[in-house]
Amino acid sequence: LVPWAGAPVPVAEPVAEGADALRDDHRQGQQLQRKDQHKQAVNLCSFCSSRSLELPSWRGEEDEARFPKPGVENVSRRLFVLRALATEAEVSSILEVAQMSLEFNVDNDSVDQRPTYERYVVQIGQYVHADLERVLRPIVEERLLPYVREKYNAPDAVVCTVLIRRYLPDERRGHPTHLD
């Protein structure tokens, strides 16, 4: 996330509080913030719109956030959050596999040289973990890909890579901004 200065408002720490904080706080017009080293509020993002989606095999909501593009005035980057992409049961299944049977890589990350605590589950378009394939394939094939293909007018879009990262209090708690 790329922070920018903003008016002081109640502070949310999405990295420290995890996905639940982001999911609960991303409402239209809501801003997520953190405090910088000088204890000033810094906006992380502002969710500016929400719309209902209805695709052949999935219904959900798309929230849009905008981030200022560093070095360019009046230009922003957009982030889309898809609510209800996975059911609670699917999320529970993914977490169960991740917590019980995934071995996470601990090689050094190219961004910050800290252990990655990540595991690839799709590489070069091929699922490489059977238990996760059973739960991820319907989410990817029946919901995510149809959304991406329609949103970006890219009928031939495919998934190349999927990875899961682990963020535990005594391990990695964030990942620096970077471009891949």
PDB file of all heavy atoms in Angstrom, residues 79-98:
ATOM      1  N   LEU A  79      -7.917  -0.447  -6.768  1.00  0.00           N
ATOM      2  CA  LEU A  79      -7.928  -1.781  -6.177  1.00  0.00           C
ATOM      3  C   LEU A  79      -9.382  -2.213  -6.078  1.00  0.00           C
ATOM      4  O   LEU A  79     -10.236  -1.429  -5.661  1.00  0.00           O
ATOM      5  CB  LEU A  79      -7.322  -1.740  -4.768  1.00  0.00           C
ATOM      6  CG  LEU A  79      -7.571  -2.968  -3.890  1.00  0.00           C
ATOM      7  CD1 LEU A  79      -6.639  -4.100  -4.312  1.00  0.00           C
ATOM      8  CD2 LEU A  79      -7.384  -2.640  -2.435  1.00  0.00           C
ATOM      9  N   PHE A  80      -9.664  -3.440  -6.469  1.00  0.00           N
ATOM     10  CA  PHE A  80     -11.023  -3.965  -6.389  1.00  0.00           C
ATOM     11  C   PHE A  80     -11.048  -5.104  -5.374  1.00  0.00           C
ATOM     12  O   PHE A  80     -10.223  -6.004  -5.439  1.00  0.00           O
ATOM     13  CB  PHE A  80     -11.508  -4.452  -7.755  1.00  0.00           C
ATOM     14  CG  PHE A  80     -11.544  -3.352  -8.765  1.00  0.00           C
ATOM     15  CD1 PHE A  80     -10.489  -3.166  -9.633  1.00  0.00           C
ATOM     16  CD2 PHE A  80     -12.619  -2.495  -8.816  1.00  0.00           C
ATOM     17  CE1 PHE A  80     -10.510  -2.131 -10.551  1.00  0.00           C
ATOM     18  CE2 PHE A  80     -12.652  -1.462  -9.728  1.00  0.00           C
ATOM     19  CZ  PHE A  80     -11.583  -1.276 -10.600  1.00  0.00           C
ATOM     20  N   VAL A  81     -11.963  -5.018  -4.427  1.00  0.00           N
ATOM     21  CA  VAL A  81     -12.158  -6.053  -3.424  1.00  0.00           C
ATOM     22  C   VAL A  81     -13.459  -6.760  -3.765  1.00  0.00           C
ATOM     23  O   VAL A  81     -14.505  -6.121  -3.905  1.00  0.00           O
ATOM     24  CB  VAL A  81     -12.236  -5.455  -2.000  1.00  0.00           C
ATOM     25  CG1 VAL A  81     -12.562  -6.524  -0.969  1.00  0.00           C
ATOM     26  CG2 VAL A  81     -10.925  -4.749  -1.661  1.00  0.00           C
ATOM     27  N   LEU A  82     -13.394  -8.071  -3.910  1.00  0.00           N
ATOM     28  CA  LEU A  82     -14.585  -8.863  -4.239  1.00  0.00           C
ATOM     29  C   LEU A  82     -15.103  -9.514  -2.963  1.00  0.00           C
ATOM     30  O   LEU A  82     -14.441 -10.379  -2.393  1.00  0.00           O
ATOM     31  CB  LEU A  82     -14.261  -9.921  -5.284  1.00  0.00           C
ATOM     32  CG  LEU A  82     -13.730  -9.381  -6.595  1.00  0.00           C
ATOM     33  CD1 LEU A  82     -13.381 -10.534  -7.525  1.00  0.00           C
ATOM     34  CD2 LEU A  82     -14.744  -8.454  -7.247  1.00  0.00           C
ATOM     35  N   ARG A  83     -16.269  -9.072  -2.532  1.00  0.00           N
ATOM     36  CA  ARG A  83     -16.878  -9.665  -1.344  1.00  0.00           C
ATOM     37  C   ARG A  83     -17.700 -10.873  -1.763  1.00  0.00           C
ATOM     38  O   ARG A  83     -18.322 -10.879  -2.809  1.00  0.00           O
ATOM     39  CB  ARG A  83     -17.757  -8.649  -0.624  1.00  0.00           C
ATOM     40  CG  ARG A  83     -16.892  -7.593   0.066  1.00  0.00           C
ATOM     41  CD  ARG A  83     -17.662  -6.804   1.058  1.00  0.00           C
ATOM     42  NE  ARG A  83     -18.261  -5.662   0.394  1.00  0.00           N
ATOM     43  CZ  ARG A  83     -19.384  -5.082   0.781  1.00  0.00           C
ATOM     44  NH1 ARG A  83     -20.058  -5.546   1.780  1.00  0.00           N
ATOM     45  NH2 ARG A  83     -19.834  -4.045   0.136  1.00  0.00           N
ATOM     46  N   ALA A  84     -17.660 -11.893  -0.935  1.00  0.00           N
ATOM     47  CA  ALA A  84     -18.412 -13.136  -1.144  1.00  0.00           C
ATOM     48  C   ALA A  84     -17.855 -13.960  -2.303  1.00  0.00           C
ATOM     49  O   ALA A  84     -18.572 -14.774  -2.856  1.00  0.00           O
ATOM     50  CB  ALA A  84     -19.908 -12.855  -1.323  1.00  0.00           C
ATOM     51  N   LEU A  85     -16.602 -13.755  -2.644  1.00  0.00           N
ATOM     52  CA  LEU A  85     -15.985 -14.573  -3.689  1.00  0.00           C
ATOM     53  C   LEU A  85     -15.883 -16.022  -3.229  1.00  0.00           C
ATOM     54  O   LEU A  85     -16.080 -16.938  -4.000  1.00  0.00           O
ATOM     55  CB  LEU A  85     -14.608 -14.038  -4.052  1.00  0.00           C
ATOM     56  CG  LEU A  85     -13.880 -14.761  -5.186  1.00  0.00           C
ATOM     57  CD1 LEU A  85     -14.639 -14.593  -6.498  1.00  0.00           C
ATOM     58  CD2 LEU A  85     -12.465 -14.246  -5.331  1.00  0.00           C
ATOM     59  N   ALA A  86     -15.572 -16.206  -1.958  1.00  0.00           N
ATOM     60  CA  ALA A  86     -15.509 -17.543  -1.364  1.00  0.00           C
ATOM     61  C   ALA A  86     -16.500 -17.594  -0.208  1.00  0.00           C
ATOM     62  O   ALA A  86     -16.691 -16.609   0.498  1.00  0.00           O
ATOM     63  CB  ALA A  86     -14.101 -17.829  -0.853  1.00  0.00           C
ATOM     64  N   THR A  87     -17.116 -18.740  -0.030  1.00  0.00           N
ATOM     65  CA  THR A  87     -18.042 -18.922   1.086  1.00  0.00           C
ATOM     66  C   THR A  87     -17.237 -19.082   2.375  1.00  0.00           C
ATOM     67  O   THR A  87     -16.029 -19.358   2.351  1.00  0.00           O
ATOM     68  CB  THR A  87     -18.921 -20.164   0.889  1.00  0.00           C
ATOM     69  OG1 THR A  87     -18.074 -21.331   0.962  1.00  0.00           O
ATOM     70  CG2 THR A  87     -19.662 -20.126  -0.443  1.00  0.00           C
ATOM     71  N   GLU A  88     -17.914 -18.943   3.506  1.00  0.00           N
ATOM     72  CA  GLU A  88     -17.238 -19.155   4.787  1.00  0.00           C
ATOM     73  C   GLU A  88     -16.691 -20.574   4.877  1.00  0.00           C
ATOM     74  O   GLU A  88     -15.597 -20.800   5.408  1.00  0.00           O
ATOM     75  CB  GLU A  88     -18.180 -18.856   5.945  1.00  0.00           C
ATOM     76  CG  GLU A  88     -18.420 -17.374   6.125  1.00  0.00           C
ATOM     77  CD  GLU A  88     -19.238 -17.043   7.373  1.00  0.00           C
ATOM     78  OE1 GLU A  88     -19.104 -17.777   8.375  1.00  0.00           O
ATOM     79  OE2 GLU A  88     -19.974 -16.065   7.329  1.00  0.00           O
ATOM     80  N   ALA A  89     -17.439 -21.546   4.367  1.00  0.00           N
ATOM     81  CA  ALA A  89     -16.989 -22.941   4.394  1.00  0.00           C
ATOM     82  C   ALA A  89     -15.722 -23.118   3.552  1.00  0.00           C
ATOM     83  O   ALA A  89     -14.795 -23.828   3.953  1.00  0.00           O
ATOM     84  CB  ALA A  89     -18.092 -23.876   3.901  1.00  0.00           C
ATOM     85  N   GLU A  90     -15.666 -22.439   2.391  1.00  0.00           N
ATOM     86  CA  GLU A  90     -14.470 -22.530   1.540  1.00  0.00           C
ATOM     87  C   GLU A  90     -13.269 -21.888   2.226  1.00  0.00           C
ATOM     88  O   GLU A  90     -12.168 -22.450   2.211  1.00  0.00           O
ATOM     89  CB  GLU A  90     -14.731 -21.880   0.184  1.00  0.00           C
ATOM     90  CG  GLU A  90     -15.690 -22.670  -0.682  1.00  0.00           C
ATOM     91  CD  GLU A  90     -16.193 -21.891  -1.884  1.00  0.00           C
ATOM     92  OE1 GLU A  90     -16.311 -20.642  -1.815  1.00  0.00           O
ATOM     93  OE2 GLU A  90     -16.474 -22.547  -2.901  1.00  0.00           O
ATOM     94  N   VAL A  91     -13.481 -20.747   2.838  1.00  0.00           N
ATOM     95  CA  VAL A  91     -12.389 -20.079   3.551  1.00  0.00           C
ATOM     96  C   VAL A  91     -11.892 -20.968   4.690  1.00  0.00           C
ATOM     97  O   VAL A  91     -10.686 -21.140   4.890  1.00  0.00           O
ATOM     98  CB  VAL A  91     -12.836 -18.694   4.072  1.00  0.00           C
ATOM     99  CG1 VAL A  91     -11.774 -18.090   4.998  1.00  0.00           C
ATOM    100  CG2 VAL A  91     -13.131 -17.747   2.911  1.00  0.00           C
ATOM    101  N   SER A  92     -12.819 -21.566   5.423  1.00  0.00           N
ATOM    102  CA  SER A  92     -12.431 -22.473   6.511  1.00  0.00           C
ATOM    103  C   SER A  92     -11.619 -23.654   5.984  1.00  0.00           C
ATOM    104  O   SER A  92     -10.629 -24.062   6.600  1.00  0.00           O
ATOM    105  CB  SER A  92     -13.667 -22.993   7.254  1.00  0.00           C
ATOM    106  OG  SER A  92     -14.290 -21.942   7.936  1.00  0.00           O
ATOM    107  N   SER A  93     -12.021 -24.197   4.843  1.00  0.00           N
ATOM    108  CA  SER A  93     -11.279 -25.319   4.247  1.00  0.00           C
ATOM    109  C   SER A  93      -9.876 -24.900   3.834  1.00  0.00           C
ATOM    110  O   SER A  93      -8.911 -25.639   4.061  1.00  0.00           O
ATOM    111  CB  SER A  93     -12.027 -25.870   3.030  1.00  0.00           C
ATOM    112  OG  SER A  93     -13.243 -26.440   3.410  1.00  0.00           O
ATOM    113  N   ILE A  94      -9.754 -23.738   3.235  1.00  0.00           N
ATOM    114  CA  ILE A  94      -8.434 -23.234   2.825  1.00  0.00           C
ATOM    115  C   ILE A  94      -7.552 -23.044   4.056  1.00  0.00           C
ATOM    116  O   ILE A  94      -6.397 -23.475   4.084  1.00  0.00           O
ATOM    117  CB  ILE A  94      -8.568 -21.915   2.034  1.00  0.00           C
ATOM    118  CG1 ILE A  94      -9.261 -22.175   0.700  1.00  0.00           C
ATOM    119  CG2 ILE A  94      -7.196 -21.259   1.829  1.00  0.00           C
ATOM    120  CD1 ILE A  94      -9.742 -20.920  -0.005  1.00  0.00           C
ATOM    121  N   LEU A  95      -8.098 -22.417   5.085  1.00  0.00           N
ATOM    122  CA  LEU A  95      -7.319 -22.188   6.308  1.00  0.00           C
ATOM    123  C   LEU A  95      -6.927 -23.497   6.979  1.00  0.00           C
ATOM    124  O   LEU A  95      -5.808 -23.633   7.484  1.00  0.00           O
ATOM    125  CB  LEU A  95      -8.101 -21.295   7.275  1.00  0.00           C
ATOM    126  CG  LEU A  95      -8.233 -19.843   6.858  1.00  0.00           C
ATOM    127  CD1 LEU A  95      -9.173 -19.099   7.803  1.00  0.00           C
ATOM    128  CD2 LEU A  95      -6.873 -19.166   6.808  1.00  0.00           C
ATOM    129  N   GLU A  96      -7.832 -24.451   6.988  1.00  0.00           N
ATOM    130  CA  GLU A  96      -7.528 -25.739   7.609  1.00  0.00           C
ATOM    131  C   GLU A  96      -6.351 -26.419   6.898  1.00  0.00           C
ATOM    132  O   GLU A  96      -5.415 -26.898   7.550  1.00  0.00           O
ATOM    133  CB  GLU A  96      -8.749 -26.649   7.577  1.00  0.00           C
ATOM    134  CG  GLU A  96      -8.516 -27.987   8.250  1.00  0.00           C
ATOM    135  CD  GLU A  96      -9.755 -28.861   8.242  1.00  0.00           C
ATOM    136  OE1 GLU A  96     -10.886 -28.343   8.145  1.00  0.00           O
ATOM    137  OE2 GLU A  96      -9.575 -30.087   8.341  1.00  0.00           O
ATOM    138  N   VAL A  97      -6.386 -26.442   5.581  1.00  0.00           N
ATOM    139  CA  VAL A  97      -5.279 -27.049   4.836  1.00  0.00           C
ATOM    140  C   VAL A  97      -3.996 -26.256   5.082  1.00  0.00           C
ATOM    141  O   VAL A  97      -2.934 -26.843   5.339  1.00  0.00           O
ATOM    142  CB  VAL A  97      -5.597 -27.124   3.325  1.00  0.00           C
ATOM    143  CG1 VAL A  97      -4.371 -27.558   2.529  1.00  0.00           C
ATOM    144  CG2 VAL A  97      -6.766 -28.060   3.072  1.00  0.00           C
ATOM    145  N   ALA A  98      -4.093 -24.945   5.035  1.00  0.00           N
ATOM    146  CA  ALA A  98      -2.904 -24.101   5.219  1.00  0.00           C
ATOM    147  C   ALA A  98      -2.294 -24.309   6.600  1.00  0.00           C
ATOM    148  O   ALA A  98      -1.066 -24.362   6.746  1.00  0.00           O
ATOM    149  CB  ALA A  98      -3.255 -22.635   5.002  1.00  0.00           C
TER     150      ALA A  98
END
